[in-house]
Amino acid sequence: MLAKIILITLLQITLALNDFKIQRKRLPDAILIGAKKSGTRALLTFISTHPNVSAADSEIHFFDKYYHLGLDWYKSQMPYSNDNQIVIEKTPKYLVDPKVPQRVFQMNKNIKLIVILRNPVTRAISEFVQSQHRQKRNINNVNEQSKRFVRMLYESKNQNFTIRKNWNIIKNGLYVNHIKNWMEYFPLESFVFINGDNLIQNPHDELEKLQKFLGLKPIIKKENFVLTNQKKGFPCIRLDSQNEEVKCLSDQKGRQHPKIPDNVIKQLQDFYRPYNNELFELIKQEPFWTV
């Protein structure tokens, strides 16, 4: 009897040790590289509910800010995971920083790259609103925000006012330029491109695409999403379709946008059109928005 008890105890200890070994920190299998203000946080929130995903909650900025700290430091910033989980990190700045692609390639040439894209005109306004909020510049005065956006949008050249192509808020939406930088190191098959506008309207479609790309069992479905904030319009995800528990984005998401004059919107659309056309030809997909 004593021998049987000892055997069972040893077995339990062995199983516990095995579980301990499985739970560890390791470098990511996939990186959500951007684009900024296109729904990266929503996408990460949704995919994180999958039991076979372990995601870093905060933006780590290893490849753009902290590369000098080394891969061991990067690994230490990862969440604990087991062998059945895919580890994901999200830092939207990676998409637009030209030195990042080579660094990622040197770490893992087979890594999966997640890109979420939104209409660049809407994205630019959203990033501008975020920048104003961080600077605490009349964030509740949308009329003043609209005027400030227009003032910052244009530059005088040869007595003509043209869009400031090098303004980061505009440049960040030149997606094709950034994707080209990445494709100098990674083939098209390394990327999945998520429609950020459709993520709000039909999140299950985009999550189906992402789960397939990551090789996950497609358990996040249409019935897992519920709209609980009609004002902001973002869906929440039900962790279990059999109960009422939901996970939503923070209240900071979905800030009110200023009303930009129609003629300015049209000029922005005209400005981005050739870049958009080149982008969707490059990634071999139908346009996500009207170009």
Side-chain angles (χ1 to χ4, degrees):
M1 182 67 179
L2 181 60
K4 184 177 181 181
I5 293 174
I6 293 174
L7 181 61
I8 292 174
T9 302
L10 288 173
L11 180 60
Q12 291 173 335
I13 292 173
T14 301
L15 291 173
L17 287 173
N18 286 338
D19 288 339
F20 178 77
K21 290 178 181 178
I22 289 174
Q23 292 290 327
R24 68 191 193 282
K25 292 190 175 187
R26 55 189 171 86
L27 295 173
D29 305 290
I31 304 179
L32 178 47
I33 62 175
K36 183 178 182 180
K37 303 307 296 180
S38 293
T40 57
R41 172 53 58 184
L43 186 61
L44 189 71
T45 297
F46 296 155
I47 195 62
S48 295
T49 63
H50 198 293
N52 296 118
V53 168
S54 182
D57 185 60
S58 60
E59 296 177 7
I60 298 175
H61 287 279
F62 171 65
F63 293 102
D64 61 326
K65 288 184 180 181
Y66 304 115
Y67 193 66
H68 62 283
L69 296 178
L71 285 176
D72 286 340
W73 178 88
Y74 186 41
K75 183 164 62 175
S76 74
Q77 305 303 302
M78 293 297 128
Y80 283 98
S81 63
N82 60 49
D83 291 339
N84 295 322
Q85 290 179 308
I86 289 176
V87 178
I88 301 177
E89 188 242 318
K90 172 187 88 79
T91 301
K93 183 67 182 297
Y94 291 164
L95 179 66
V96 301
D97 192 320
K99 63 181 176 290
V100 170
Q102 183 180 20
R103 292 175 172 180
V104 174
F105 181 82
Q106 289 172 344
M107 179 191 73
N108 182 1
K109 65 181 181 180
N110 297 313
I111 199 161
K112 294 178 180 292
L113 301 169
I114 306 167
V115 183
I116 179 169
L117 302 175
R118 188 182 185 189
N119 185 316
V121 177
T122 308
R123 194 220 65 81
I125 298 170
S126 182
E127 183 176 356
F128 174 78
V129 170
Q130 183 188 62
S131 71
Q132 297 299 291
H133 181 86
R134 288 177 173 173
Q135 298 172 39
K136 300 181 179 178
R137 301 185 62 180
N138 295 333
I139 58 176
N140 295 319
N141 189 332
V142 292
N143 291 328
E144 179 57 32
Q145 282 194 46
S146 176
K147 294 176 183 178
R148 188 178 296 125
F149 178 84
V150 174
R151 287 198 302 269
M152 297 180 70
L153 177 63
Y154 294 104
E155 63 181 351
S156 178
K157 184 178 294 185
N158 299 326
Q159 297 184 332
N160 292 318
F161 285 95
T162 59
I163 290 175
R164 288 175 56 205
K165 183 177 179 180
N166 289 326
W167 186 24
N168 282 338
I169 284 177
I170 296 301
K171 189 165 62 174
N172 288 344
L174 300 177
Y175 303 134
V176 66
N177 293 347
H178 310 311
I179 297 300
K180 282 181 177 178
N181 289 337
W182 280 88
M183 291 184 71
E184 289 183 12
Y185 297 92
F186 296 95
L188 185 60
E189 294 73 24
S190 296
F191 301 85
V192 63
F193 295 94
I194 302 296
N195 185 335
D197 297 305
N198 194 48
L199 183 69
I200 298 174
Q201 303 299 324
N202 301 290
H204 54 282
D205 289 341
E206 302 306 316
L207 266 294
E208 180 181 354
K209 183 193 302 184
L210 181 55
Q211 289 174 100
K212 182 177 180 181
F213 173 73
L214 295 175
L216 298 169
K217 183 178 180 181
I219 63 175
I220 302 176
K221 300 181 180 295
K222 185 175 183 178
E223 56 265 28
N224 291 102
F225 292 95
V226 56
L227 184 62
T228 63
N229 190 330
Q230 296 287 345
K231 183 178 180 180
K232 294 199 172 186
F234 283 106
C236 299
I237 188 165
R238 198 187 306 275
L239 305 182
D240 183 345
S241 59
Q242 302 303 313
N243 62 47
E244 295 301 315
E245 183 183 4
V246 296
K247 188 173 184 179
C248 302
L249 302 183
S250 73
D251 292 337
Q252 293 183 358
K253 299 299 181 182
R255 296 188 184 100
Q256 183 181 3
H257 285 192
K259 177 66 172 69
I260 306 300
D262 290 343
N263 65 311
V264 176
I265 294 295
K266 185 180 186 305
Q267 289 176 2
L268 280 168
Q269 291 171 337
D270 293 342
F271 169 80
Y272 277 118
R273 184 170 295 111
Y275 298 99
N276 292 334
N277 287 331
E278 187 179 0
L279 165 72
F280 290 113
E281 183 176 348
L282 177 68
I283 67 176
K284 297 179 170 54
Q285 294 196 27
E286 291 296 316
F288 291 170
W289 54 83
T290 302
V291 297

